[in-house]
Amino acid sequence: MGKFDAGFAGSVALITGAASGIGLATARRLAAEGATVVIADLNEGAAKTAAQELGADSVAFDVADPDAWLETVEGIKNRHGGLHLVHLNAGITTYRAENSDAPRLGFDLSAVPLENYRRIMGANVDGVILGARACIPLIAASGGGAVIATASAAGAIAFPPDPIYTATKHAVVGFIRSMAPSLEAQGIGCHAIMPGIVDTGLLAEGMADQARTLGIPVIAPEEIAEAVVGAAQSGKTGGLWICLADRPAFRYAFNPIDGLGLPETD
Ligand code: NAI
């Protein structure tokens, strides 16, 4: 029997980047399902407001900070007695959403400020790996559960408007696929959520409307929350869940490489 077969009531869920967008939608969904939710975000004010709305706990920290991770997990253990699900969701693009520092056309790698590069690697890659590192022991000690990361469809395709973002999401997908067998042995399911374009503050101003005009479907954050719940309850592990508009999330698989000589794990 899977950890969440009977639902999420009585479980403790930590969601990063939960003050807005996909994380907030997931927090709302899990709170509605009866979970004790911990909203984590860099934006302290927005995290507190969201927590108040949901009757949730909140914590403000940078997911790129390894010490903050350890403190956060210790705090959750003390306040809530355990942890069953972590949604490693906080993430950013190379240029800020307001687009003030972004070039208008193409992607000029040499023009990317080093600070932007460090910031996105910190949020999107360190935030997932350090988060998993800090949370896994407590999830295991709490009887198992799930580690779910928000990657992106850009974790499996080329996305020329932001190659650095694409690299971070490929990193998340590789990490999740490779962690799954070790975590399964500890009763922890491990999944990557891979959405197309979602209508959140991550998008540059007007981008959602522009996408719709071009016939590109834009997904509501609530649909991604549904995918997170579905992955946690799938009874499987190592899932790469593609999320598109108006249809249930479905599993993606890479092509196997014949002749490599290594065992395929998924
Ligand atoms: P969002 O901008 O609405 O939410 C991201 C949240 O993460 C914000 O509240 C922000 O304050 C927080 N955050 C950023 N850096 C942080 C850090 N270092 N430490 C702690 N919190 C931090 O954006 P959205 O769309 O909800 O993004 C969530 C995840 O979904 C990201 O990983 C993003 O890459 C991914 N995603 C988004 C898509 C989209 O089209 N919006 C498509 C595919 C994936």
Side-chain angles (χ1 to χ4, degrees), residues 17 20 22 41-42 61-63 89 91 150-151 165 169 196 198 200 202:
S20 76
I22 292 169
D41 205 284
L42 201 51
F61 72 102
D62 185 341
V63 294
N89 165 76
T150 307
Y165 180 82
K169 296 305 184 179
V198 188
T200 73
L202 187 92

Side-chain angles (χ1 to χ4, degrees), residues 39-105:
I39 289 182
D41 205 284
L42 201 51
N43 185 336
E44 185 171 15
K48 279 191 175 146
T49 305
Q52 233 159 22
E53 181 212 325
L54 300 181
D57 188 9
S58 74
V59 55
F61 72 102
D62 185 341
V63 294
D65 179 344
D67 294 335
W69 264 114
L70 297 177
E71 270 170 44
T72 296
V73 170
E74 186 64 21
I76 289 172
K77 187 178 160 191
N78 294 336
R79 289 194 301 282
H80 304 296
L83 180 65
H84 306 97
L85 186 152
V86 64
H87 182 196
L88 300 162
N89 165 76
I92 56 175
T93 52
T94 298
Y95 292 101
R96 289 184 194 280
E98 62 267 24
N99 222 15
S100 55
D101 51 357
R104 295 293 138 193
L105 284 174

